[in-house]
Amino acid sequence: MDPSNLPAFQDDGAIKPITCVEMHTAGEPTRILWSGFPKLTGTLMEQRAQAKAQSDEFRRLLMLEPRGHYDMYGAILCAETELVAAGKADIGVLFTHNEGFSTMCGHATIALGRFLVDVGESVFPRRGQLKYDSASGTTHLNLHVPCGLVEVTVPTLPTGKSDPSQPVSFVSVPSFATATSLEVQLPETHRWPELKGRTSVTADFAYGGAYYCLISAEELGFPKGLGEVELQEMDNATRLLKEVISSNPDLAYLTRDIVTGEQGYLYSIMITDMRLGHVNAAEGTAAFRAQQRSDSEETGLCFFANQQIDRSPTGGCVAARVALAHVKGTLSTGGKRIYNSLVTRAHKPLSGFVGSVANSEQGRPWVKVRVEGYAYYTGYHNFVVEKEDGLGVDGFSVKDIAM
């Protein structure tokens, strides 16, 4: 269809145009808002509070149906924050999902790295100030996210645009474990059938910008692991486990910063399977390991926010898992591990995320983790809302209606 034949939507008070670029990282979407969101002011956390209290209908409009779906993910650019003003960050961002706003998102950070290198100053005012390293052919930027400052490195072509054939990487905020091999008691109301009479499970807990509970598929009650996924049953099990942990005040330390003492919340349950790598191990994985000099590989299934499923290996959780592996002594400084999702494991052309310890010091309880992955553009959207639309600036979820 000729675009000139389409209706000319204008902002006449009845229609609110919102412009987004669409990307995916290992299959997980990132809807990046660059115009049309109400102006936010103050520190990044104050902007987050404003967005939640005053403009949450915009999040629902863009994340939920009919413009999104239950597992949509978004990023709101914040050109001015306190770290930008101090010269420590180049731009800020807020992350959105089906339930609200998250503190960190690795897959979106990888996508944003490419996007922010590719756009002009009308979208990214400090684009011209980014540092280009001619020796490595990369551009560096500092991204202010709700959990802190993330350092992003973007392979860049001679044209000044990002290079999609090379992985974007970021160095996380300080990441750490809060508990290893912890036995979690389950009340009778929160035991799922696959436990077969067990009254507790053993899990690990770690932070990578958000707090994660990591539990093997077998320990969760699924002896076939992630090779034969029972999605509905795993959804139920992780939901019940998350409720048990989040509602028990004696377990609050699992989501408390070991350095600052700041109290957080459990963002996600990650089901792990250390036995599984890429499904085409004889072909894709061998070549990928050689390219990335990876020492090991594993697969995970992440349920986060309101039981949203991450299609990617989950960058924040890769940081948490590397920190956990470092504590356990299963991944040394300098060692690399490939982390797969169900999507990257199943599709030969896709690469998992590569995690490694970027910085550690003896006696320090945390490490900084480097996460590498690929992001790609999928399109652009100019969303509108007509005043006659019964959903208005809201959105809905069939799953929530059905429940």
Side-chain angles (χ1 to χ4, degrees):
M1 176 182 290
D2 183 349
S4 64
N5 294 328
L6 293 173
F9 294 111
Q10 301 295 327
D11 187 1
D12 59 0
I15 296 172
K16 304 177 185 298
I18 304 172
T19 305
C20 309
V21 63
E22 309 287 325
M23 300 185 72
H24 85 87
T25 311
E28 177 70 2
T30 303
R31 176 164 284 170
I32 303 171
L33 286 69
W34 80 38
S35 71
F37 196 87
K39 183 175 177 57
L40 303 171
T41 59
T43 67
L44 186 63
M45 295 310 291
E46 288 170 347
Q47 292 182 56
R48 186 170 181 254
Q50 285 177 29
K52 291 171 68 174
Q54 302 171 19
S55 304
D56 195 52
E57 67 272 17
F58 283 83
R59 175 193 64 82
R60 290 179 55 82
L61 178 152
L62 293 167
M63 296 298 99
L64 303 180
E65 298 178 56
R67 299 168 187 87
H69 55 81
Y70 200 76
D71 297 309
M72 178 55 71
Y73 202 91
I76 303 168
L77 297 178
C78 302
E80 300 296 334
T81 76
E82 70 275 25
L83 292 188
V84 173
K88 297 179 180 179
D90 298 297
I91 194 169
V93 65
L94 298 176
F95 300 122
T96 68
H97 48 64
N98 68 7
E99 188 177 45
F101 295 78
S102 51
T103 55
M104 174 58 188
C105 181
H107 91 269
T109 295
I110 291 169
L112 284 164
R114 284 200 64 199
F115 174 73
L116 291 171
V117 165
D118 290 341
V119 295
E121 293 185 356
S122 61
V123 174
F124 179 17
R126 288 169 178 77
R127 170 62 183 90
Q129 301 174 27
L130 296 186
K131 297 177 181 178
Y132 173 74
D133 183 344
S134 58
S136 62
T138 58
T139 301
H140 304 274
L141 65 99
N142 289 334
L143 190 64
H144 186 187
V145 304
C147 66
L149 195 66
V150 176
E151 305 163 39
V152 187
T153 300
V154 184
T156 307
L157 297 166
T159 60
K161 298 299 184 181
S162 64
D163 182 356
S165 70
Q166 301 295 324
V168 175
S169 67
F170 69 87
V171 176
S172 72
V173 297
S175 302
F176 49 83
T178 57
T180 58
S181 301
L182 178 71
E183 185 178 8
V184 179
Q185 298 295 328
L186 303 169
E188 188 174 355
T189 55
H190 284 68
R191 297 172 192 164
W192 48 96
E194 291 75 18
L195 289 172
K196 299 189 182 305
R198 283 191 293 140
T199 61
S200 67
V201 293
T202 299
D204 298 317
F205 295 83
Y207 175 81
Y211 289 93
Y212 298 88
C213 168
L214 302 110
I215 184 169
S216 71
E218 295 91 335
E219 181 64 20
L220 198 63
F222 301 90
K224 295 180 181 178
L226 294 176
E228 297 184 27
V229 178
E230 300 174 60
L231 201 57
Q232 184 172 346
E233 291 79 6
M234 288 179 173
D235 183 312
N236 179 57
T238 54
R239 177 181 58 81
L240 292 172
L241 178 58
K242 188 176 183 182
E243 287 178 2
V244 168
I245 298 165
S246 299
S247 63
N248 187 343
D250 292 336
L251 299 180
Y253 73 94
L254 298 172
T255 54
R256 186 178 299 129
D257 194 303
I258 63 173
V259 178
T260 67
E262 182 179 357
Q263 185 64 52
Y265 62 94
L266 184 61
Y267 180 56
S268 164
I269 305 288
M270 170 66 83
I271 306 174
T272 62
D273 193 329
M274 297 289 293
R275 304 169 302 178
L276 293 182
H278 200 284
V279 73
N280 296 298
E283 305 172 45
T285 299
F288 188 61
R289 280 181 179 167
Q291 178 188 354
Q292 300 292 339
R293 302 187 305 280
S294 172
D295 301 318
S296 55
E297 190 169 4
E298 64 180 75
T299 296
L301 171 60
C302 180
F303 290 88
F304 71 95
N306 188 14
Q307 292 303 100
Q308 190 165 334
I309 295 176
D310 198 333
R311 275 68 172 162
S312 83
T314 311
C317 196
V318 167
R321 291 157 85 180
V322 169
L324 180 67
H326 186 71
V327 167
K328 290 186 169 185
T330 60
L331 186 65
S332 61
T333 301
K336 291 188 175 185
R337 180 170 293 168
I338 298 174
Y339 293 88
N340 281 301
S341 65
L342 297 182
V343 175
T344 65
R345 178 177 182 268
H347 290 273
K348 181 181 174 181
L350 288 179
S351 298
F353 291 171
V354 177
S356 59
V357 176
N359 187 290
S360 66
E361 293 180 11
Q362 188 173 2
R364 192 172 65 183
W366 51 266
V367 297
K368 284 195 171 183
V369 177
R370 178 174 286 104
V371 181
E372 305 170 42
Y374 296 81
Y376 305 98
Y377 292 97
T378 58
Y380 298 88
H381 267 122
N382 195 36
F383 291 107
V384 298
V385 177
E386 297 182 288
K387 64 181 181 181
E388 294 84 5
D389 184 353
L391 288 174
V393 282
D394 192 14
F396 67 93
S397 162
V398 169
K399 184 174 180 179
D400 288 341
I401 291 172
M403 291 175 64

